[in-house]
């Protein structure tokens, strides 16, 4: 009995160690992701403090911006992702950029989960993992948001860098969204 219990503990310990090793490798691999040609991580995203700073990025000059504020644990947010490829396809010849702002949760692995999610869901566009300060500032500085702190949430920015609709249609409302874009 003693010997069997000892063997079980050894096997369990090895399994836990193996699991931790695999998690560590995945964690490091996910964190090392720096984007692709279609999935662009906004440079110095962690130093952004306002939506205005984001909109003023050189890549967004003279373009319409559709900003998706989402969270890695938000099922309604993730459900909308599947609708985006069809919308993007219809707008491929337009001066529209898609920006995804991921909400901070305050966990040690926020950045790793964010990078894993944008790869998993193949979210083509620009990406920002918001700091807590940036996230709080979005809700405070953007006037006219009807349901503050609620995600998913979408903003529409015109070519002049002004927020044209602080409550832009979600991808599920494709016709209304395309009409506005």
């Amino acid at each position: 009995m003693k010997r069997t219990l000892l063997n079980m503990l050894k096997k369990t310990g090895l399994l836990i160690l193996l699991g931790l090793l695999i998690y560590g490798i995945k964690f490091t691999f996910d964190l090392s992701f720096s984007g692709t040609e279609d999935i662009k991580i906004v440079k110095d995203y962690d130093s952004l403090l306002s939506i205005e700073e984001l909109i003023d990025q050189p890549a967004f000059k003279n373009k319409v911006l559709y900003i998706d504020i989402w969270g890695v644990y938000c099922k309604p947010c993730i459900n909308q992702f599947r609708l985006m490829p069809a919308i993007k396809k219809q707008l491929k010849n337009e001066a529209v950029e898609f920006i995804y702002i991921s909400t901070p949760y305050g966990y040690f692995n926020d950045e790793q989960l964010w990078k894993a999610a944008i790869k998993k869901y193949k979210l083509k566009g620009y990406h920002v993992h918001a700091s807590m300060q940036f996230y709080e500032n979005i809700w405070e500085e953007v006037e006219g948001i009807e349901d503050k702190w609620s995600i998913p949430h979408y903003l529409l920015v015109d070519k002049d860098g002004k927020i044209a609709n602080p409550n832009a249609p979600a991808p599920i409302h494709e016709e209304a969204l395309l009409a506005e874009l």
Side-chain angles (χ1 to χ4, degrees):
M1 176 83 167
K2 250 185 182 179
R3 187 174 283 272
T4 307
L5 182 60
L6 187 60
N7 285 337
M8 282 178 38
L9 288 173
K10 284 181 183 177
K11 287 179 184 177
T12 305
L14 287 174
L15 287 175
I16 290 171
L17 185 61
L18 181 61
L20 288 171
L21 180 63
I22 291 169
Y23 178 78
I25 291 169
K26 180 177 177 0
F27 184 89
T28 304
F29 179 72
D30 288 341
L31 276 179
S32 69
F33 181 68
S34 60
T36 65
E37 186 177 322
D38 294 328
I39 299 173
K40 300 170 179 93
I41 308 293
V42 172
K43 186 177 169 127
D44 299 324
Y45 66 86
D46 51 348
S47 65
L48 292 171
L49 292 177
S50 72
I51 201 78
E52 189 176 307
E53 285 181 36
L54 175 63
I55 292 168
D56 285 344
Q57 299 278 318
F60 308 139
K61 294 291 182 203
N62 301 314
K63 295 183 181 175
V64 170
L65 308 177
Y66 183 66
I67 300 175
D68 179 342
I69 304 169
W70 66 287
V72 297
Y73 295 117
C74 171
K75 292 293 182 193
C77 300
I78 292 166
N79 287 339
Q80 295 293 316
F81 293 160
R82 66 183 168 74
L83 305 170
M84 288 307 297
I87 291 168
K88 289 176 182 177
K89 186 175 182 180
Q90 292 182 62
L91 297 167
K92 69 180 178 184
N93 296 323
E94 303 296 326
V96 177
E97 294 292 353
F98 297 87
I99 303 172
Y100 296 87
I101 300 175
S102 174
T103 62
Y105 287 95
Y107 300 130
F108 79 95
N109 61 341
D110 273 0
E111 187 176 354
Q112 179 259 331
L113 292 171
W114 163 61
K115 287 184 174 184
I118 61 178
K119 288 188 301 186
K120 178 180 179 179
Y121 299 113
K122 299 178 180 99
L123 298 179
K124 294 179 181 179
Y126 288 86
H127 296 272
V128 172
H129 179 62
S131 67
M132 193 59 76
Q133 187 64 56
F134 178 36
Y135 185 68
E136 290 172 2
N137 288 345
I138 290 170
W139 305 110
E140 297 305 319
E141 79 180 81
V142 177
E143 293 182 23
I145 294 179
E146 293 169 0
D147 195 6
K148 290 187 182 253
W149 305 98
S150 179
I151 56 173
H153 193 88
Y154 306 92
L155 307 173
L156 186 61
V157 178
D158 66 21
K159 290 183 179 185
D160 296 324
K162 304 292 182 226
I163 296 178
N165 187 346
N167 303 291
I172 196 151
H173 305 293
E174 182 178 342
E175 284 183 35
L177 177 57
L178 288 171
E180 283 201 45
L181 290 172

